[in-house]
């Protein structure tokens, strides 16, 4: 579904993503894990067509992110780190706007909005302006909006940042429902989130994937006891 080949990004002379090679399968929930600055968001932005790679390419559903960015944008969607809701529109209006942007007829659009509000527990807040929602509810709305286009591939950059335990649990349950139907690439610093959701994990360090596999594989390959121990070993810096 996603085939990344030698994907590279330089900011001035600084290499931020370094000849990344990775395949992500259809319907898989793939977690990208890495320290601050490892290159996760930059990778996601390139895959979404928001940033041009310096070198390399990737195909999504057979379409090149370099040659065919518009076609890629038709099959993907993203819930970015910075929540992308229109602050002065209500929950209902935000969702309806997105549904209509994606070209759904009014009746179909309204039905989609009601479905997504129910799925995300947003119905009681449908008349609230987005700016009055708590951070956790804004994230829920942002993820719901990303699903309005019924994407084949969904990128979620730290989807549960700032959510309380129940809100996080609700989003996890939604993502578990989507697994197998939508290919999901998720970044998160919460290891328990990755343990709960991910089919496979890629640990990113200095712009490269330094470990790849299921959590069980990573644990048994390294002889460690937990994903946290694996992560700490793989991202350890040499002491000067
Ligand atoms: N527009 C930019 N210009 C210059 N450097 C940038 C730019 N955007 C990101 N960087 C740098 O690229 C590196 C990788 O950033 P990126 O946001 O991809 O990391 P990340 O793994 O997503 O980190 P985090 O976990 O903190 O979100 C960082 O050192 C960052 O400072």
């Amino acid at each position: 579904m996603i085939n990344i080949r030698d994907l590279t990004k330089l900011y001035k002379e600084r290499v931020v993503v370094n000849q990344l090679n990775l395949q992500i399968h259809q319907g898989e929930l793939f977690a990208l894990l890495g320290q601050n600055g490892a290159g996760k968001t930059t990778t996601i932005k390139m895959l979404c067509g928001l940033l041009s790679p310096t070198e390399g390419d990737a195909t999504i559903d057979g379409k090149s992110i370099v040659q065919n960015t518009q076609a890629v944008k038709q099959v993907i969607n993203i819930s970015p780190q910075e929540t992308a809701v229109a602050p002065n529109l209500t929950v209902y209006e935000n969702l309806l706007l997105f549904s209509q942007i994606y070209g759904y007829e009014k009746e179909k659009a309204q039905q989609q909005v009601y479905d997504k509000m129910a799925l995300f527990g947003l119905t009681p807040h449908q008349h609230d302006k987005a700016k009055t929602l708590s951070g956790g509810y804004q994230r829920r709305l942002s993820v719901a909006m990303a699903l309005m286009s019924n994407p084949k591939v969904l990128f979620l950059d730290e989807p549960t940042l700032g959510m309380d335990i129940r809100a996080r649990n609700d989003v996890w349950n939604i993502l578990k429902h989507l697994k197998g139907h939508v290919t999901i690439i998720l970044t998160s610093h919460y290891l328990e989130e990755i343990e709960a959701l991910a089919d496979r994990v890629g640990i990113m360090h200095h712009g490269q994937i330094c470990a790849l596999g299921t959590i069980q594989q990573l644990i048994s390959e390294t002889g460690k006891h937990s994903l946290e121990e694996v992560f700490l070993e793989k991202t350890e810096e040499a002491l000067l």
Side-chain angles (χ1 to χ4, degrees):
M1 165 53 85
I2 303 182
N3 191 1
I4 303 174
R5 293 182 305 266
D6 295 328
L7 195 66
T8 300
K9 182 71 187 178
L10 271 72
Y11 284 118
K12 301 223 165 86
E13 267 104 80
R14 196 153 153 255
V15 184
V16 170
V17 176
N18 191 0
Q19 299 201 314
L20 185 73
N21 284 288
L22 179 64
Q23 278 81 46
I24 297 169
H25 312 129
Q26 182 149 12
E28 185 174 32
L29 196 151
F30 186 88
L32 208 46
L33 186 59
Q35 298 182 136
N36 293 133
K40 305 176 298 290
T41 301
T42 305
T43 301
I44 286 186
K45 284 186 173 166
M46 287 192 283
L47 293 174
C48 291
L50 299 172
L51 258 185
S52 313
T54 310
E55 278 173 33
D57 197 355
T59 55
I60 298 184
D61 203 23
K63 299 153 183 88
S64 156
I65 59 165
V66 177
Q67 309 289 336
N68 213 347
T69 317
Q70 282 316 313
V72 167
K73 286 184 178 171
Q74 307 268 312
V75 294
I76 62 139
N77 217 328
I78 178 171
S79 170
Q81 237 174 48
E82 56 293 338
T83 304
V85 301
N88 284 316
L89 296 185
T90 66
V91 166
Y92 176 85
E93 288 164 348
N94 262 291
L95 289 166
L96 190 67
L97 177 70
F98 262 56
S99 195
Q100 290 179 328
I101 286 172
Y102 296 123
Y104 291 103
E105 302 283 327
K106 194 169 176 208
E107 247 171 57
K108 172 94 175 130
Q110 282 175 332
Q111 194 50 53
Q112 288 238 43
V113 172
Y114 289 124
D115 291 349
K116 290 292 182 289
M117 286 195 305
L119 184 64
F120 281 82
L122 287 164
T123 310
H125 297 284
Q126 60 180 299
H127 302 303
D128 297 348
K129 283 191 176 177
K131 67 181 177 191
T132 69
L133 297 174
S134 70
Y137 271 92
Q138 289 198 17
R139 295 293 296 161
R140 284 195 207 199
L141 177 58
S142 171
V143 177
M145 283 159 65
L147 281 170
M148 291 310 280
S149 65
N150 291 317
K152 288 187 181 175
V153 180
L154 178 63
F155 292 93
L156 299 172
D157 207 355
E158 302 194 33
T160 62
L161 190 70
M163 283 189 187
D164 69 23
I165 296 164
R166 184 171 306 282
R168 184 178 300 178
N169 209 273
D170 289 347
V171 170
W172 288 3
N173 285 334
I174 293 163
L175 296 181
K176 283 178 190 164
H177 274 295
L178 294 174
K179 269 173 75 149
H181 305 289
V182 183
T183 307
I184 300 174
I185 294 87
L186 166 140
T187 75
S188 177
H189 291 293
Y190 301 124
L191 294 179
E192 71 274 26
E193 177 157 299
I194 291 173
E195 284 162 349
L197 296 173
D199 297 311
R200 278 193 311 150
V201 178
I203 300 179
M204 205 165 177
H205 194 47
H206 295 313
Q208 291 182 317
I209 294 285
C210 63
L212 178 68
T214 64
I215 293 171
Q216 265 322 310
Q217 281 167 347
L218 294 179
I219 288 174
S220 59
E221 278 166 15
T222 51
K224 298 289 176 189
H225 297 99
S226 65
L227 180 60
E228 180 169 348
E229 285 185 14
V230 174
F231 178 77
L232 290 172
E233 180 178 283
K234 293 285 179 184
T235 58
E236 198 166 16
E237 302 288 344
L239 292 173
L240 295 174

